[in-house]
């Protein structure tokens, strides 16, 4: 995602009048010395406690909310949007800020030009864009939203899947409900058309809400970077009334193989049962990794990709629980039909790859240890192969030097997870996906 240049931010902070933004929200301001005061719209305010200082282009509430800042902070607070989105709104003088007049010396310094009040954010796609482009661009928009969402970033950090390279390469995103700002108005023909197409793609539901709102999104990209399937992981505590599922996919059959681009450079592959587990290994330096769609979610597409790329060995890193064991056996038998040897990665009982990483001081070391100890699976009841060496997973990025021998290093207790995260072992795997419950429209 392109970073917003500092000069651009400075320009917005200097040029967009806080006074006009505040007045545009219906706040009456009265002069008081160098300042202007009015009733703060963000809480019940009888004693005008909102102070605007035009000389510094700042605002501050002396009352209950205590908020303040410059024009960007005002738009974030008033519109309930992210920093980046506020910047976008200010850049483009969205109709939501109808009284804002931006001065853009944009074209060769031809002088300040007032932006029309009906100016809109650039549309996500042009009306003639194909469905694939609409899908790709929407997931790209979600990826941009992630960059400014603290809660989503904190989730990734806690799960040790926040490597910036991984987040960018796998286009991890978050659905912060602002997609509508980038679509033509829903009352227009173009707006109706694009919403209908988004419904067809499964990104908008019949309730008109976004399918993945409030979810982190993990798209499954093909070798050219186009989105096939999307896995959604609910962020935060599920609403006890609407009970949104923790795991969600696009409607319809699964499409695509996660990290298929990496299949070309390896004859050994690690297979996890969830994208979060696979991403965990990738972030720890094990890049030849993919994810099934749950313990029984090995698709024909997976099988075809393994065969087409000449993969010879698969390390099955499903959860160490009965479902994981059963799925691993089934997968090993399936792989044996195309001559691929399988090895079971034996994690501590009840744990998945991500839990192991989260609980480890040095995830790369610890995961590497489990991968090296993977045991050959006798999928066809034959003697163990003599010709194939023990699997030695390739760590492409050497882990940080270990200060003490791994064997003696005490494994720290996993940090306690908040209530919403305390789940039975393996429950964080898409094998347990249930049909999504349609939440009541809340807005
Ligand atoms: Zn206030």
């Amino acid at each position: 995602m392109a970073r917003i240049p500092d000069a651009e931010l400075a320009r917005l902070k200097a040029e967009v009048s806080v006074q006009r933004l505040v007045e545009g929200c219906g706040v009456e301001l009265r002069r008081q010395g160098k300042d202007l005061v009015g009733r703060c719209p963000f809480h019940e305010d009888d004693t005008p406690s909102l102070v605007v200082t035009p000389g510094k282009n700042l605002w501050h509430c002396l009352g209950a909310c205590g908020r303040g800042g410059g024009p960007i902070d005002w738009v974030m607070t008033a519109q309930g949007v992210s920093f980046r989105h506020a910047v976008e709104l200010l850049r483009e003088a969205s109709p939501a800020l109808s009284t804002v007049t931006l001065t853009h010396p944009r074209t060769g310094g031809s002088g300040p030009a007032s932006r029309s009040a009906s100016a809109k954010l650039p549309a996500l796609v042009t009306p003639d864009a194909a469905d694939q482009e609409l899908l790709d661009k929407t997931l790209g928009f979600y990826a941009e939203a992630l960059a400014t969402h603290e809660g989503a970033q904190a989730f990734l950090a806690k799960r040790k899947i926040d490597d910036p390279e991984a987040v960018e390469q796998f286009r991890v995103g978050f659905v912060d409900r602002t997609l509508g700002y980038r679509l033509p108005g829903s009352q227009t023909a173009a707006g109706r058309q694009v919403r209908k197409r988004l419904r067809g793609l499964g990104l908008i539901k019949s309730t008109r809400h976004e399918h993945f709102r409030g979810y982190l999104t993990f798209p499954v990209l093909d070798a050219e970077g186009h989105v096939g399937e999307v896995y959604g992981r609910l962020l935060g505590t599920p609403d006890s009334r609407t009970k949104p599922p923790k795991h969600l996919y696009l409607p319809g059959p699964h499409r695509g193989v996660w990290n298929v681009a990496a299949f070309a450079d390896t004859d050994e592959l690690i297979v996890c049962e969830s994208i979060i587990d696979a991403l965990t290994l990738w972030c720890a330096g094990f890049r030849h990794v993919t994810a099934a769609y749950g313990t029984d979610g090995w698709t024909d597409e997976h099988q075809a990709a393994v065969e087409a790329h000449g993969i010879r060995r698969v390390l099955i890193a499903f959860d160490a629980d009965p479902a994981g064991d059963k799925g691993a056996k089934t997968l090993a038998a399936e792989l044996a039909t195309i001559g691929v040897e399988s090895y079971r990665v034996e994690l501590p009982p009840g744990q998945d790859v991500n839990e192991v990483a989260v609980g480890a001081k040095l995830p790369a070391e610890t995961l590497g240890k489990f991968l090296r100890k993977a045991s050959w699976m006798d999928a066809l009841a034959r003697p163990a192969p003599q010709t194939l060496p023990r699997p030695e997973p390739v760590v492409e990025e050497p882990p940080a030097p270990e200060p003490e021998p791994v064997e003696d290093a005490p494994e720290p207790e996993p940090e306690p997870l908040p209530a919403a995260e305390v789940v039975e072992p393996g429950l964080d795997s898409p094998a347990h996906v249930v049909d999504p419950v349609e939440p009541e429209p809340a807005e």
Side-chain angles (χ1 to χ4, degrees):
M1 187 190 73
R3 203 174 142 270
I4 305 162
D6 290 341
E8 169 95 345
L9 293 178
R11 188 182 66 75
L12 289 175
K13 287 176 188 172
E15 291 182 1
V16 182
S17 159
V18 163
Q19 178 185 346
R20 299 201 62 177
L21 286 174
V22 172
E23 289 173 340
C25 288
V27 178
E28 275 185 47
L29 293 172
R30 286 200 326 271
R31 185 154 288 279
Q32 197 173 85
K34 286 182 188 168
D35 296 330
L36 301 163
V37 296
R39 290 183 179 171
C40 176
F42 306 130
H43 60 91
E44 290 284 312
D45 190 16
D46 294 331
T47 54
S49 43
L50 180 70
V51 180
V52 173
T53 310
K56 296 179 176 170
N57 207 29
L58 294 174
W59 61 282
H60 181 59
C61 174
L62 302 170
C65 77
R67 294 168 186 272
I72 299 169
D73 307 284
W74 179 270
V75 174
M76 288 170 72
T77 310
Q79 308 288 322
V81 296
S82 68
F83 177 82
R84 171 164 282 268
H85 190 62
V87 169
E88 282 175 348
L89 288 170
L90 287 172
R91 268 174 169 170
E92 302 296 334
S94 156
L97 312 164
S98 57
T99 62
V100 187
T101 303
L102 297 182
T103 52
H104 289 232
R106 247 184 199 169
T107 45
S110 60
S114 291
R115 298 279 292 175
S116 153
S118 63
K120 294 217 165 56
L121 283 171
L124 195 65
V125 292
T126 55
D128 60 346
D131 276 355
Q132 183 66 59
E133 185 185 350
L134 182 58
L135 182 60
D136 292 346
K137 289 271 176 68
T138 304
L139 271 294
F141 178 78
Y142 293 159
E144 285 182 19
L146 173 84
T148 55
H149 196 280
E150 281 182 24
Q153 300 217 9
F155 177 92
L156 297 180
K158 194 176 75 183
R159 295 305 191 93
K160 298 189 178 172
I161 48 174
D162 59 336
D163 179 296
E165 192 189 343
V167 170
E168 184 178 349
Q169 175 166 335
F170 295 104
R171 241 176 287 163
V172 181
F174 179 68
V175 181
D176 67 355
R177 309 170 189 225
T178 60
L179 181 64
Y181 288 97
R182 296 292 296 276
L183 305 176
S186 56
Q187 306 307 317
T188 65
R192 281 193 296 273
Q193 196 245 7
V194 73
R195 282 169 177 78
K196 186 178 169 197
R197 291 175 57 203
L198 285 166
R199 271 202 299 281
L201 290 167
L203 292 167
I204 291 184
K205 300 190 286 191
S206 56
T207 57
R208 295 188 292 179
H209 293 314
E210 283 172 87
H211 182 64
F212 288 111
R213 66 183 189 144
Y215 285 72
L216 286 137
T217 47
F218 300 86
V220 176
L221 309 171
D222 68 16
E224 282 76 47
H226 296 301
V227 177
E229 176 63 280
V230 178
Y231 163 63
R233 170 61 164 78
L234 183 67
L235 181 70
T237 313
D239 185 319
S240 59
R241 188 174 51 90
T242 55
K243 296 190 181 63
K246 191 189 262 184
H247 310 283
L248 202 57
Y249 289 105
L250 284 174
H254 299 302
R255 206 157 61 93
V257 174
W258 193 83
N259 195 25
V260 72
F263 286 32
D265 307 323
T266 181
D267 60 0
E268 178 184 284
L269 189 68
I270 309 168
V271 179
C272 297
E273 68 175 70
S274 81
I275 289 177
I276 286 183
D277 286 341
L279 197 56
T280 305
L281 282 163
W282 197 95
C283 289
F286 304 96
R287 303 280 162 100
H288 55 303
V289 59
T290 192
Y293 297 107
T295 53
D296 57 355
W298 185 255
T299 64
D300 292 347
E301 236 183 311
H302 283 111
Q303 185 84 349
V306 164
E307 192 166 22
H309 289 96
I311 303 289
R312 302 179 65 202
R313 284 187 304 275
V314 162
L315 276 59
I316 304 176
F318 287 3
D319 299 0
D321 59 19
D325 290 338
K326 183 164 173 281
K329 271 180 106 168
T330 309
L331 175 54
E334 177 103 13
L335 289 167
T337 64
I338 52 171
V340 175
E341 299 289 346
S342 293
Y343 294 78
R344 181 79 167 111
V345 179
E346 286 157 355
L347 300 170
Q351 292 202 24
D352 63 31
V353 167
N354 185 256
E355 285 172 303
V356 170
V358 168
K361 204 190 294 173
L362 297 166
E365 293 281 341
T366 305
L367 291 171
K369 201 170 67 179
F370 283 113
L371 293 173
R372 280 190 297 277
K373 286 197 305 194
S375 54
W376 183 71
M377 295 179 75
D378 186 9
L380 297 176
R382 295 163 306 166
Q386 302 300 311
T387 50
L388 287 173
R390 260 173 79 82
E392 287 290 340
V394 180
V395 184
E396 293 177 8
E397 285 183 351
E402 168 71 283
E404 59 220 47
V406 181
E407 272 67 37
D408 299 334
E411 287 290 328
E413 287 291 309
E415 60 182 278
L417 297 170
E421 297 296 345
V422 177
V423 292
E424 302 92 285
L427 210 71
D428 199 18
S429 96
H432 303 272
V433 169
V434 292
D435 284 338
V437 178
E438 286 289 311
E440 297 288 313
E443 58 225 38

